[in-house]
Amino acid sequence: PMAESMAKGDIAVGEKVYNQACSSCHDEGISGAPKIGDSAAWAERIAKGMEALNKNSINGFTGETGMMPAKGGFSALSDDEVKAAVEYMVSQSK
């Protein structure tokens, strides 16, 4: 099960959520997902700011390069868990 409670922005929780829910797409670039660690793929997204990244990750997003299902298709994730995973991915992809 996903972490029930966490401190906002906790990188360790973000890594755990990433490994459990996000890695299946972001490790391989499925559906246009930017691969973790690919600074070129992340640069434009990071430039839009964390608020935009979090909103698109929580609510879902379809753009020119692909799509992101709401909460990566894991509706049981809390918004804070998604934000932690996004923060983790950004920290690994700058």
Side-chain angles (χ1 to χ4, degrees):
M2 299 295 171
E4 289 290 322
S5 159
M6 58 169 271
K8 191 173 181 181
D10 184 338
I11 293 295
V13 171
E15 182 176 14
K16 180 178 179 183
V17 173
Y18 174 83
N19 288 330
Q20 292 178 341
C22 311
S23 62
S24 58
C25 291
H26 286 278
D27 280 355
E28 301 298 327
I30 295 172
S31 296
K35 292 181 182 181
I36 191 167
D38 183 344
S39 58
W42 279 92
E44 187 176 324
R45 291 168 173 91
I46 292 170
K48 292 178 182 178
M50 290 302 292
E51 185 175 336
L53 284 170
N54 288 329
K55 178 182 175 192
N56 291 342
S57 298
I58 292 167
N59 299 320
F61 176 79
T62 300
E64 292 179 17
T65 59
M67 61 88 63
M68 166 73 191
K71 297 186 178 184
F74 291 84
S75 59
L77 289 173
S78 71
D79 288 358
D80 282 341
E81 287 171 322
V82 174
K83 289 176 185 178
V86 170
E87 186 173 329
Y88 170 73
M89 286 187 277
V90 166
S91 76
Q92 301 299 304
S93 303
K94 288 184 176 179

